[in-house]
Amino acid sequence: MRPWNNLFCYVSWLLVLLPLWAGAQTSETSFRRFTTEQGLSRDEVTALAHDKRGFLWVGTLNGLNRFDGAQFKVFKRTDRAASLPANHVLTNGITPDPLGYLWIATIRGLCRFDPVREQGLTVPLPQLRDRLADNDFVSPVGFDSAGQGWFASIDRLYRIDPRTLRRTAYSLPYVVANECPLPFPAAGGKVWLISQGAIYLFDPINGRYQYVQGQDLAHPNAPEYFQRLVPGRQQRWYAVAQQGVFRYDATRQRFVGEGARIFNVQTMVETRGSQGQPACWIGTSGRLTYYNPLGRRYTDLVHSPDDVHSYPGGITLALLPDARTGMLWVGTTRGLAVIDPLSNKFKRQFVRSSDPKRYLEDVRVVRQDRRQDSLYWVLTNQPGLMRWERQHQKLTTVVNPLPGYLYDLVQDMQGRVWVGIDGGLGIYDPATSCWQRRPIRLATKTPAVPGEVTVEHLLLDRQQQLWLGSAKHGLLLHDSKRNQTTVYPLPGEAGAACQVHRLQEDGRGRLWVLTSLGLFRLSADRKRVQRVRPQASMATVHQSDRLQSTFLLDRYDNLWLSSLGLVVQADTNGRVRHTYTTANGLRADYTFGLAEDRRGHLWLATDEQLHELNPTTHKFRYYGRSSGLLVNSMYQTFTANRQGELFIGARAGFNYFQPTQLRRNPVPPPVAVTEIRVNNHSRPVGAQVELQPGEQTLTVAFAALNFSQAQKNRYAYRLEGFDPAWTSTDARTVTYTNLAPGNYTLRIRAANNDGVWNLTGQTLAVRVQPAYYQTLWFKALLLAAGTVALWGIYRYRQNQQLQLAAVRDRIAKDLHDDIGSTLSSISIFSEVAQVQLADAHPATVSLLQRISTNASTLAESMQDIIWTIKTNHDGLPDVVTRMREFGLRLTEAKGIRFTMTVAEPFPALRLSVEQRRNLYLIFKESVNNAVKYADCTQLQVKLSVSGRQLHLLIEDDGRGFDLATARTGNGLTNLETRARDICGRITFTTAPGAGTSVALTALLA
C-alpha cells in the first residue's frame, strides 16, 4: 500500500474513466450526501466504521469525524498526548475491536482511540523513533477470532493485544520501500497477507508464508495483481485486483474471477440481497456497482449532475453496510453518502429531453397502458408524449407533431392514446405510430370566451363516453365516432367562462365535475345535474366555490374536498363530517391532488410536502425530498395503476410507490450521551457525573443514533428526583441549574423518524455533592454547638438565679435580724413605758399604745416581706399555706367562720417573687376588707389550678357595697393593678346586702 502514490493514481483513473461512464443508466437508488457544508472535516472520505454505541466514524484526509445523524464532531491532531498522531486517516483505516476501542491507521502511525473518553493512545513502533515521516504509516488493523489484532508496517507484521498493547513482530516475505502489506485474519488462526500484488497465507505457529496467488518478485508473470481481500459471510473471501473481483475456491485453493472485468476497484463489501442471497457492493472510480454473485449481474450507479440524490461521483474509497438498518455508507473523494432504504421510500424516474444535459420542465401525467402492465404513457409539457418500458427502465420520446402544450391523456379500448391540447384533441395510435389532430371550435356569444377549445382534462367513463374538461368552455362531451363535441350545460354558467379542474366517475356511475364555478354532480343517466356545496357549522369550511382546488370520491362514498388551507370529508350531499386544517395536522395552504390507496388511506399532493392521512385515526405522515421525492412541493394530480401503485409527476420526472409496501423504520434508535458540561466546562462522558459545591449548571447533550431522516428524531427526558414527569422535545440538550445535594438519575428516551421509541434509552447518574454547611456532620456539629450554647445559657441563668436567691436570703435574714428585732424592741419598750407611766402620766398611755400597735403592724408586714423574699417559699403550696394561716388568724379574732378549699394536687410550679407577692397581697387585701368592713359571719376561699391557669375565689356573706361608690377609692384599683402585673384578671361581684365575691384568674409562668 503506497498512500501517497495511490491518491494520484486514483485521480488519474477518475479523469480517464469518467467520460466513458457518463451515459450510464441512472438507477432508482437514492443517495443522501454529506460534505464539508454539513460539517465534515474534508470531502475525501477514506474510512468508515461504527462503534459499540452506534456512532458512525468517518476518516478523511484531514481529520477523524464522529457522526450521529445530525452533527459531525471533528477530531484532529493537537499538542495533547491523547490526540491523533496525524490527521490523514488511511484507506479503510478505522477498525473497531471487541473491547470498544477504535484502531486508527494514519500516515504517522497507529492509534488506539477511546470513542467514549475521546482520547487516543499512539502505539509505539520502532520507525516512529527515527524522526522520518515517510515510513511511519501502517496498514489497517484486523482482529482474529481470539480478539488479537494484526497489522503491518513497512518492514514487519505485528500481532497486538488490544488491552495491553503488547506486540509480537514477524518478518515479511518481502520488504519494499514505501509499501505496507495488508494483513487479513483468516480461520484457524492464520493470516492472509497481500504484498506487492500477491496473496500469502501466514501461519503464526511456524512463522512461514505460503504463496497463494498473484504477482510478486518470485512470480512476476502471474496474471493477477491483487490489492485487497474482502471477508464475506460463511467464511467466503473475495479478492480485489486490477482485473476485477475474484472469489476464493477452497477446493482449488485459488481465487477465481467472477466473470466481468471491473477495472480499478478500490473497495468492496458483501451484504445480503433483497431475498437474503449474498450480494456485493464494489467501489471504483466514478461509479458504485451492485453485484449479485449468484447471477453474476452488475448494476452501475453513476453520478448525475442534475440529481442531488444520485451517486456523488469521484473515487469510492470506503464502504460500510449496516445490517441492523440495511443502510450502506459510501465514502468517496466527493464526500460521504448513504443509501438508506428506510428513508428513501419512493421510487423515481428522471425524464430527459433530446438534449441529455437538461431535464424536462414538468411531467404532468403517468398512466399505465391498458394492455401491458409494464408499459406506461408519460405526458410532459415538451416534447409531449413519452413511452416508458418500466421493466427495462427505458424511456422513449414519441415524436409529436402537435403544436402547443399537452395537458392530459386517456387510453381507449382500442389502445389509442387521446391527449388534450390547445385547440382540441390529439390521438396517437401505438399500432401505427401515427398522430391525428381533432380541432374543436365552438360558437360563443361572449368575447371573453374564444371559439377554440383548450382541453385540459379527459375522462372515459364506463359507457366509453369521452368527457372533456376545458379551460374556458366548461364540460364537453365528445362523440369519437362522429367527431362531434357538445357542451354539457352546468347551472350558473350563463355564458361566462368556466374552467374545469377535475373529473371523476364514482362507484354508482355518477360523474363529478369540479369547475371554477363550483362542484357539480351528474346523474348516472347524465340527465340531471346538481351543485354540491360543503355544509358545516364552522364558518371557515364554507369557502367560495372558486377557491376549491380538487376533490376525490373514495370507495366509501366519502367526498373529500380541498380549499384554501383546509381539506374536508363530507357525504355526497356536502354535509361535512370532518375538517382538517393546520390546527390538526394539515401543513399546506394548497392541495392539488387527492388519491386513495387500497388501505383507505388518503394521499394529498400539496405545496408543502406529500401528506398521508389515516382517516380512522386522523393522523398525518409527511414526506419530502429526504424521503426520495423529487420535490417538496407537488402541483400535479395522482394516477394509479392496476396493481395499486400511485404515480405523481414533478419537475424533471415522476415518483411512484406502492402505499402498502412503504418501508417503515422499525429499529428503535440507540441513545447516547454526546457531551457533558458543568458550569460550561466539558466533562468526560461516563456513567456518572459529579457536581462539586459551587457547580450549579449541568448541561447534557444527547443523540438518537438513527441516521434515517435524523431531523425527525424525537426525545423525552426525566431527571428522577427532580422532574415530576417526562418532557418531550426536539432539542438534543437539557440543562439543570441549582440542583439540591443528592443523587439523581437522568433518563433519556428517543424515537426514530417513524415514531418508534427506544423506551430503555440511556441513563446518567448525577451526584450533587453538598457544601460543607449542607453536610450531616456540619449539621450535627451545629446541633452540638447549639446544645452546648443552650446548656451554657441554662447554667448561666441557673447560677444567676442561685446568686439572686442568695441575695434574697441574705436580705431576708438582714431584715429579720436587724429591722425585725428593732421593731420588736420598740413594741416591748412601748409596752413597758405604758406600765411605768400609767399612773404618773396617764395622757401618754394612748400615744404609747399607738406606737406599740404600729410597731406590731410594721413587724407583721416585715414578716410578709421576708416571707416573700426567701427562696424556700417559691412553690405554690407555700403560698397556699401562708394564705390559709393568715385567713385563720385574722377571722378567728373576729369570730368569723373561715373555710379554704384547695383543689389538689398542684402541678410542680414555681412562682416568681412578683407572682407570689401580688397573689398573696390580693388575697390578704380581699380577706382584710371582708373582716374589717363586710360585717360577715362566713368567709369562703376556693383555689384551683387548671393547666397553667390559677383560679382564686373569695366570697363573704356580709352586707356588700355599691361598686359605683367604692370606685372612688384606691382599694379596688390597687387590686386590679396587681392582677394585671401577674397577667391576670380580677372581677368583683357585690351589691348592698348581698355579700361580696372576688374572682381572680391568672396565668402562671
Side-chain angles (χ1 to χ4, degrees):
M1 180 180 68
R2 300 181 179 91
W4 303 106
N5 297 335
N6 283 353
L7 181 60
F8 294 108
C9 178
Y10 297 159
V11 176
S12 301
W13 272 103
L14 178 62
L15 295 176
V16 171
L17 296 178
L18 273 180
L20 301 179
W21 297 328
Q25 174 65 45
T26 301
S27 168
E28 295 177 350
T29 304
S30 296
F31 292 80
R32 282 189 293 124
R33 307 179 193 174
F34 306 91
T35 64
T36 52
E37 294 182 359
Q38 285 77 41
L40 192 64
S41 62
R42 185 156 170 172
D43 286 340
E44 293 84 356
V45 175
T46 58
L48 298 168
H50 283 295
D51 66 15
K52 277 192 171 183
R53 294 189 295 170
F55 286 100
L56 177 69
W57 291 84
V58 184
T60 71
L61 294 185
N62 187 26
L64 178 67
N65 302 256
R66 187 189 71 188
F67 186 49
D68 59 18
Q71 293 179 349
F72 288 94
K73 184 173 183 178
V74 179
F75 301 87
K76 290 189 176 183
R77 180 183 181 183
T78 65
D79 295 334
R80 296 188 303 112
S83 69
L84 297 175
N87 293 331
H88 183 158
V89 179
L90 297 177
T91 302
N92 295 304
I94 305 177
T95 309
D97 71 10
L99 302 178
Y101 294 110
L102 297 177
W103 293 79
I104 315 297
T106 75
I107 61 173
R108 290 188 177 273
L110 182 64
C111 172
R112 188 187 72 179
F113 189 81
D114 187 336
V116 177
R117 296 182 176 272
E118 301 176 359
Q119 295 177 352
L121 178 62
T122 300
V123 178
L125 296 175
Q127 58 265 35
L128 297 179
R129 295 193 293 266
D130 60 11
R131 297 189 179 184
L132 298 177
D134 59 351
N135 63 351
D136 293 343
F137 54 88
V138 296
S139 74
V141 181
F143 288 90
D144 60 22
S145 58
Q148 297 294 298
W150 291 86
F151 70 97
S153 66
I154 62 172
D155 57 357
R156 290 286 189 275
L157 173 67
Y158 289 95
R159 180 176 63 192
I160 186 169
D161 187 320
R163 191 184 302 273
T164 64
L165 300 186
R166 187 175 63 184
R167 299 171 303 284
T168 304
Y170 302 91
S171 62
L172 294 173
Y174 297 98
V175 176
V176 179
N178 295 327
E179 181 169 320
C180 183
L182 299 175
F184 301 90
K190 297 183 179 182
V191 180
W192 295 103
L193 186 78
I194 291 185
S195 178
Q196 292 185 318
I199 300 177
Y200 303 87
L201 189 61
F202 175 69
D203 188 346
I205 296 177
N206 56 32
R208 296 179 179 178
Y209 290 90
Q210 175 188 347
Y211 170 80
V212 178
Q213 194 173 345
Q215 296 178 12
D216 64 1
L217 296 179
H219 305 85
N221 297 322
E224 302 92 357
Y225 188 92
F226 292 101
Q227 298 171 323
R228 176 170 300 280
L229 287 175
V230 178
R233 292 178 173 85
Q234 299 178 356
Q235 298 186 0
R236 282 189 297 272
W237 282 93
Y238 299 90
V240 174
Q242 289 183 350
Q243 294 81 6
V245 177
F246 293 72
R247 182 164 50 177
Y248 184 67
D249 187 334
T251 303
R252 300 167 59 183
Q253 295 187 348
R254 288 185 60 82
F255 285 87
V256 180
E258 285 293 279
R261 298 174 66 85
I262 302 177
F263 296 101
N264 200 29
V265 175
Q266 304 300 323
T267 186
M268 173 179 168
V269 293
E270 185 188 72
T271 61
R272 289 188 182 273
S274 58
Q275 305 300 323
Q277 79 280 7
C280 296
W281 289 95
I282 304 171
T284 65
S285 296
R287 72 172 67 186
L288 179 66
T289 301
Y290 178 76
Y291 171 55
N292 183 349
L294 297 182
R296 293 193 173 185
R297 293 192 301 271
Y298 295 83
T299 303
D300 291 334
L301 309 180
V302 299
H303 177 64
S304 180
D306 298 315
D307 181 9
V308 296
H309 293 293
S310 68
Y311 170 73
I315 308 170
T316 301
L317 300 177
L319 295 171
L320 178 66
D322 187 344
R324 187 172 60 96
T325 62
M327 302 171 72
L328 178 70
W329 293 93
V330 183
T332 76
T333 55
R334 295 184 182 177
L336 175 68
V338 62
I339 300 174
D340 181 7
L342 299 178
S343 175
N344 297 321
K345 304 177 186 294
F346 301 92
K347 300 176 182 179
R348 70 191 196 280
Q349 176 65 47
F350 288 95
V351 180
R352 292 186 180 272
S353 66
S354 56
D355 181 359
K357 295 184 178 180
R358 79 173 184 89
Y359 289 114
L360 289 177
E361 292 298 323
D362 201 357
V363 172
R364 302 180 65 89
V365 182
V366 180
R367 294 194 189 274
Q368 189 178 30
D369 187 80
R370 280 185 176 270
R371 300 172 181 177
Q372 301 181 46
D373 286 348
S374 62
L375 178 62
Y376 291 80
W377 299 98
V378 180
L379 195 64
T380 64
N381 284 343
Q382 289 183 352
L385 186 64
M386 306 189 79
R387 176 189 175 101
W388 182 44
E389 298 176 58
R390 179 175 177 180
Q391 184 176 357
H392 304 290
Q393 294 290 303
K394 183 179 179 181
L395 198 63
T396 306
T397 300
V398 176
V399 177
N400 174 24
L402 304 177
Y405 285 99
L406 282 65
Y407 297 97
D408 195 6
L409 70 86
V410 69
Q411 191 177 22
D412 62 19
M413 298 301 294
Q414 290 75 37
R416 296 178 299 175
V417 179
W418 294 72
V419 181
I421 63 174
D422 291 327
L425 292 169
I427 307 171
Y428 175 71
D429 189 346
T432 62
S433 300
C434 294
W435 280 95
Q436 178 186 356
R437 182 173 185 269
R438 289 191 178 182
I440 301 176
R441 188 173 185 86
L442 300 175
T444 62
K445 300 179 180 180
T446 305
V449 180
E452 191 176 71
V453 176
T454 297
V455 178
E456 295 183 340
H457 300 279
L458 299 171
L459 174 69
L460 194 65
D461 66 16
R462 61 184 62 184
Q463 300 174 11
Q464 299 305 304
Q465 291 179 311
L466 183 61
W467 295 89
L468 313 180
S470 68
K472 294 187 177 181
H473 296 81
L475 180 65
L476 308 174
L477 177 62
H478 181 75
D479 188 335
S480 59
K481 294 182 180 180
R482 300 179 182 179
N483 192 20
Q484 292 180 354
T485 304
T486 58
V487 177
Y488 192 99
L490 298 175
E493 288 184 351
C498 177
Q499 182 180 10
V500 174
H501 299 308
R502 175 170 164 75
L503 301 170
Q504 182 183 351
E505 188 177 22
D506 66 17
R508 303 181 190 179
R510 298 176 297 184
L511 182 64
W512 293 74
V513 185
L514 179 64
T515 74
S516 56
L517 301 178
L519 178 64
F520 299 91
R521 183 180 64 213
L522 280 65
S523 62
D525 58 8
R526 307 297 188 256
K527 295 180 180 180
R528 298 180 305 277
V529 60
Q530 179 182 355
R531 182 192 293 269
V532 179
R533 286 193 174 99
Q535 307 167 31
S537 57
M538 294 177 57
T540 55
V541 172
H542 191 68
Q543 299 282 353
S544 167
D545 290 334
R546 298 180 182 274
L547 296 179
Q548 296 168 4
S549 54
T550 189
F551 76 96
L552 173 73
L553 271 300
D554 66 20
R555 70 187 67 182
Y556 305 107
D557 265 353
N558 291 311
L559 171 63
W560 296 87
L561 186 63
S562 70
S563 186
L564 181 61
L566 60 86
V567 172
V568 299
Q569 180 195 44
D571 62 17
T572 53
N573 293 318
R575 289 187 291 270
V576 175
R577 295 169 176 166
H578 202 88
T579 304
Y580 300 91
T581 66
T582 54
N584 56 359
L586 186 66
R587 291 185 175 179
D589 288 331
Y590 297 98
T591 301
F592 299 98
L594 294 171
E596 181 190 19
D597 64 25
R598 291 182 174 180
R599 301 167 301 169
H601 288 198
L602 201 69
W603 293 84
L604 292 75
T606 76
D607 62 339
E608 182 58 42
Q609 296 186 310
L610 178 65
H611 290 45
E612 178 189 3
L613 170 63
N614 185 338
T616 303
T617 63
H618 306 294
K619 300 295 184 182
F620 284 92
R621 290 181 182 271
Y622 313 96
Y623 307 94
R625 296 188 68 174
S626 61
S627 301
L629 294 175
L630 293 174
V631 292
N632 285 325
S633 300
M634 318 194 79
Y635 302 104
Q636 304 300 338
T637 59
F638 293 96
T639 57
N641 64 10
R642 289 181 290 276
Q643 290 72 38
E645 290 180 293
L646 296 180
F647 295 74
I648 186 167
R651 293 182 64 86
F654 58 89
N655 286 105
Y656 57 102
F657 59 99
Q658 178 59 265
T660 58
Q661 297 178 3
L662 281 184
R663 293 185 179 183
R664 304 294 182 194
N665 187 350
V667 182
V671 183
V673 175
T674 59
E675 187 179 22
I676 299 174
R677 301 187 72 83
V678 177
N679 281 10
N680 207 29
H681 295 289
S682 182
R683 288 282 183 88
V685 175
Q688 178 174 331
V689 59
E690 188 171 290
L691 275 66
Q692 298 298 327
E695 295 178 337
Q696 299 176 340
T697 303
L698 171 66
T699 300
V700 179
F702 42 82
L705 300 181
N706 164 57
F707 298 93
S708 296
Q709 299 177 317
Q711 70 276 8
K712 295 183 178 181
N713 292 344
R714 293 278 299 167
Y715 302 91
Y717 63 86
R718 181 187 180 192
L719 185 63
E720 292 183 353
F722 182 82
D723 291 328
W726 288 87
T727 300
S728 297
T729 180
D730 292 326
R732 293 157 36 100
T733 60
V734 59
T735 299
Y736 291 94
T737 58
N738 299 319
L739 291 175
N743 295 319
Y744 305 87
T745 301
L746 178 61
R747 299 192 180 275
I748 307 168
R749 297 174 177 174
N752 66 17
N753 55 308
D754 283 327
V756 178
W757 282 90
N758 179 351
L759 297 180
T760 302
Q762 183 65 272
T763 60
L764 176 67
V766 179
R767 178 173 177 80
V768 181
Q769 293 286 7
Y772 71 90
Y773 53 82
Q774 296 174 313
T775 58
L776 289 177
W777 64 264
F778 184 79
K779 294 177 181 178
L781 182 62
L782 284 181
L783 180 61
T787 302
V788 171
L790 292 175
W791 173 252
I793 294 172
Y794 167 75
R795 292 295 300 170
Y796 174 77
R797 292 191 62 185
Q798 192 177 44
N799 290 334
Q800 289 293 103
Q801 290 176 355
L802 291 176
Q803 292 177 7
L804 180 61
V807 172
R808 287 168 54 192
D809 289 340
R810 187 172 62 252
I811 292 173
K813 181 179 179 182
D814 292 344
L815 289 175
H816 180 272
D817 294 345
D818 294 340
I819 300 176
S821 60
T822 302
L823 292 175
S824 298
S825 299
I826 293 173
S827 177
I828 293 171
F829 291 154
S830 63
E831 291 178 357
V832 173
Q834 290 179 40
V835 174
Q836 294 178 353
L837 298 175
D839 295 332
H841 301 283
T844 61
V845 173
S846 60
L847 180 58
L848 291 174
Q849 287 178 346
R850 291 181 61 186
I851 293 173
S852 176
T853 299
N854 289 338
S856 298
T857 302
L858 187 57
E860 186 177 348
S861 298
M862 182 60 64
Q863 289 298 321
D864 291 341
I865 294 173
I866 293 172
W867 176 83
T868 302
I869 293 175
K870 292 187 69 172
T871 59
N872 58 352
H873 299 308
D874 287 347
L876 183 59
D878 298 321
V879 179
V880 173
T881 301
R882 182 76 174 181
M883 293 166 63
R884 180 180 285 112
E885 291 176 353
F886 176 79
L888 288 173
R889 185 174 69 250
L890 191 61
T891 56
E892 186 178 2
K894 295 290 187 178
I896 300 172
R897 184 184 177 186
F898 176 79
T899 57
M900 186 171 183
T901 305
V902 179
E904 294 185 354
F906 290 131
L909 297 175
R910 294 185 63 82
L911 305 180
S912 65
V913 174
E914 191 71 18
Q915 287 176 324
R916 281 197 302 156
R917 176 173 172 273
N918 285 301
L919 180 60
Y920 178 70
L921 291 179
I922 289 173
F923 170 81
K924 183 177 179 181
E925 180 70 18
S926 300
V927 172
N928 193 48
N929 289 338
V931 171
K932 286 184 177 182
Y933 307 114
D935 195 16
C936 61
T937 59
Q938 285 190 1
L939 183 61
Q940 293 183 351
V941 178
K942 297 179 181 178
L943 189 144
S944 64
V945 177
S946 175
R948 302 191 68 86
Q949 279 196 341
L950 180 141
H951 303 280
L952 177 63
L953 179 63
I954 304 172
E955 296 179 315
D956 65 60
D957 59 352
R959 59 189 177 189
F961 59 92
D962 187 357
L963 277 176
T965 305
R967 287 287 178 184
T968 58
N970 294 325
L972 299 182
T973 302
N974 291 339
L975 291 177
E976 292 174 344
T977 301
R978 292 185 185 281
R980 285 195 299 270
D981 290 343
I982 58 174
C983 300
R985 182 170 57 87
I986 192 168
T987 59
F988 305 97
T989 305
T990 183
T996 302
S997 174
V998 179
L1000 171 68
T1001 300
L1003 182 65
L1004 302 179

